[in-house]
Each structure stands twice: as C-alpha cells, then as structure tokens.
C-alpha cells in the first residue's frame, strides 16, 4: 500500500487520497477492484474513520472510486476522453474507443417551437419540431441524457426506429443531409433528481452540461441538442497551439 506521515504538514486525509490515486495510477488497484473498507483503512493507518471517510468521499466525488450500495466501494473505470477539435456523434466516439453504443428512447414528441428553440433552429416561433429525449449508453452503461430538437420541415418523416442509433448517420446516409460544422458550449453542473435517476448516479453528482447546434454548409441549423454527461465517466480534451 502506501505510507502516511503523521508529522507531515499535509493533512492525513489528503495523504490517503494521494496514496490511493498512486495505487490506481500504478494499476495496483484496477478498475472494478474492491477497495478496503473505511474501518480497514482506519485500522491500517491508525487514523479515525472520519479522516478516512473524507478521503474516500473526495475520491468518489473526483471519479476515482464509485460506491455500490450493499457491496462496497470500487475503483472506477477510466473516464471516456473526447476531443473538442472535430464534430463527431456519440456513436462514432464510442465505436472509436472499442465500445458498443446504444440509445434508450424516453420521449418522442412533436411540439411547437418555443422562442429559444426557434432561435436555435432559425425557424418561426410555434413551428413544428421534434422533441427527442433519450439516454445514450456505452456497453450498456448510461453516459448521457440527451434532449434533441429537429425541425419537422427539415426531416418530415422522422420515426422512432431511426433514433435507435446515430442521428448523424441517419441524416447523412438516409436523407443525404450533410452536417458541416457545429457550435458547442460546455458548463459544469450538479445532477438534479430526475437526471440522477436516468443516469444512475446520485443526486448532486458532478455532470457536464453541453449545448450543441449543428449546421449544414449553407448555415442552416440541423439540430439543437442539450446533453447532460456523467462527470465520473466523461471528460473533454482540447489541444491548443500558441501563435
């Protein structure tokens, strides 16, 4: 394991956190491994369970560990890393990582566009749009809760069957609608009760809010998407050059 120096200026809980992180980095603790209980760690390092609990809570909140009720605390699987340089679909991202993407459709409605949705899709307020709510999964693990809006005029015969996989692939391969670019905004947040239930995480857990508008070459919007990604499963990476 690792050592704890009680004479150090570093708090004991922080030393335990860093020690656990080092074990995970060295793969002495691997994804899915059960970690020692709070009682075991407290006895091993001769510290209070409250100190151990603070370290474990921080590691859970940072996505290194995951609790399973009635079973214990386990090492979390690595976060999925998505680059921000290119415009790709969720399905394409997951396949590129050797994972199997799928979707669970929660709602499929035709609604009248609100002022906000109409502005995003550059259509008239009150025009008919599809409102699609679904869970995006990778290897059957919920990764994101997605709310998608598409103009019915653009895709007049959209069906539930077409929503089983990638919307991008359906539009490009079936409808010959080429998606040329997108604009995306990311924001950190905490999961609300209904979002937590859908994503199988705790209420208040860290999530990433992502809004994306995709466009054709003529600048006409194709879709507007609001997504909530699990913070313990997903991270984004961007490479920058100094000019």
């Amino acid at each position: 394991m690792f050592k704890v120096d009680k004479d150090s200026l570093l708090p004991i809980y922080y030393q335990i956190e860093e020690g656990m992180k080092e074990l995970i980095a060295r793969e002495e603790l691997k994804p899915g491994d059960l970690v020692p209980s709070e009682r075991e760690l407290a006895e091993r390092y001769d510290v209070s369970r409250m100190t151990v609990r603070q370290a474990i809570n921080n590691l859970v909140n940072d996505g290194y560990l995951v609790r399973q009720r009635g079973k214990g605390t386990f090492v979390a699987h690595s976060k999925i890393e998505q680059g921000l340089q290119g415009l790709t679909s969720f399905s394409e991202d997951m396949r590129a990582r050797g994972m199997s993407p799928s979707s669970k459709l929660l709602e499929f409605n035709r609604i009248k566009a609100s002022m906000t949705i109409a502005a995003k899709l550059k259509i008239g307020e009150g025009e008919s749009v599809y409102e699609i709510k679904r869970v995006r999964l990778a290897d059957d693990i919920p990764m994101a809760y997605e709310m998608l809006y598409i103009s019915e005029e653009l895709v007049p015969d959209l069906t539930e069957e077409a929503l089983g996989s990638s919307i991008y692939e359906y539009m490009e391969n079936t409808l010959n609608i080429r998606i040329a670019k997108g604009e995306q905004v990311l924001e950190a947040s905490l999961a609300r009760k209904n979002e937590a239930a859908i994503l199988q995480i705790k209420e208040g857990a860290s999530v990433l809010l992502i809004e994306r508008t995709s466009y054709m070459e003529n600048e006409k919007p194709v879709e507007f998407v609001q997504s909530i990604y699990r913070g313990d499963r997903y991270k984004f990476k961007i490479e920058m050059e100094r000019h």
Side-chain angles (χ1 to χ4, degrees):
M1 293 293 283
F2 51 87
K3 293 183 179 180
V4 167
D5 182 3
K6 293 185 178 179
D7 295 323
S8 171
L9 295 177
L10 295 173
I12 300 298
Y13 76 85
Y14 178 79
Q15 293 183 51
I16 295 174
E17 278 183 58
E18 293 304 303
M20 296 289 285
K21 288 178 184 178
E22 185 175 341
L23 293 176
I24 293 170
R26 295 202 307 258
E27 295 190 342
E28 292 183 32
L29 284 174
K30 298 180 180 180
D33 282 355
L34 178 67
V35 302
S37 67
E38 291 179 2
R39 179 182 58 80
E40 291 172 315
L41 288 172
E43 290 177 354
R44 181 177 297 174
Y45 297 109
D46 191 25
V47 298
S48 71
R49 290 184 64 173
M50 185 176 296
T51 297
V52 172
R53 184 173 298 120
Q54 183 173 0
I56 297 298
N57 285 342
N58 290 345
L59 289 166
V60 170
N61 291 336
D62 289 342
Y64 289 93
L65 303 178
V66 60
R67 287 192 176 98
Q68 294 184 19
R69 183 171 296 180
K71 295 183 178 180
T73 303
F74 298 81
V75 179
H77 289 274
S78 300
K79 293 185 179 183
I80 294 170
E81 184 177 277
Q82 179 183 342
L84 292 176
Q85 286 79 18
L87 179 59
T88 57
S89 71
F90 176 88
S91 296
E92 291 166 340
D93 287 335
M94 296 306 104
R95 291 194 197 106
R97 287 157 180 77
M99 305 180 78
S100 177
S102 60
S103 297
K104 180 181 178 183
L105 184 63
L106 302 178
E107 294 185 33
F108 178 55
N109 304 306
R110 287 180 177 84
I111 64 171
K112 292 182 178 180
S114 66
M115 183 183 298
T116 299
I117 300 301
K120 294 291 185 180
L121 295 177
K122 295 184 181 179
I123 60 176
E125 184 178 354
E127 288 190 28
S128 181
V129 298
Y130 298 105
E131 180 186 56
I132 301 151
K133 298 181 181 181
R134 56 184 184 167
V135 184
R136 309 308 305 272
L137 305 100
D139 290 345
D140 295 324
I141 298 172
M143 293 288 180
Y145 171 41
E146 182 180 88
M147 291 152 284
L148 170 65
Y149 300 90
I150 301 173
S151 168
E152 186 176 7
E153 182 182 10
L154 180 66
V155 186
D157 299 313
L158 186 62
T159 64
E160 291 188 17
E161 288 72 26
L163 303 173
S165 57
S166 170
I167 290 288
Y168 281 15
E169 291 175 5
Y170 173 74
M171 288 187 171
E172 291 176 338
N173 299 334
T174 304
L175 304 180
N176 200 30
I177 296 174
R178 185 176 183 279
I179 300 168
K181 67 175 185 177
E183 295 176 352
Q184 188 160 272
V185 178
L186 288 78
E187 182 179 350
S189 187
L190 302 176
R192 292 178 289 186
K193 186 175 181 179
N194 67 313
E195 298 161 354
I198 290 170
L199 293 173
Q200 298 178 16
I201 56 178
K202 285 189 175 182
E203 183 179 357
S206 297
V207 292
L208 291 168
L209 303 182
I210 301 173
E211 286 193 355
R212 176 191 284 184
T213 306
S214 303
Y215 300 86
M216 293 186 285
E217 290 179 328
N218 63 2
E219 301 293 326
K220 183 176 178 62
V222 174
E223 61 166 4
F224 172 61
V225 189
Q226 296 173 310
S227 300
I228 300 167
Y229 280 82
R230 287 177 57 161
D232 65 337
R233 291 286 186 178
Y234 230 80
K235 62 181 178 180
F236 289 82
K237 176 183 177 182
I238 185 168
E239 296 181 1
M240 297 177 287
E241 294 183 5
R242 178 173 171 82
H243 297 288

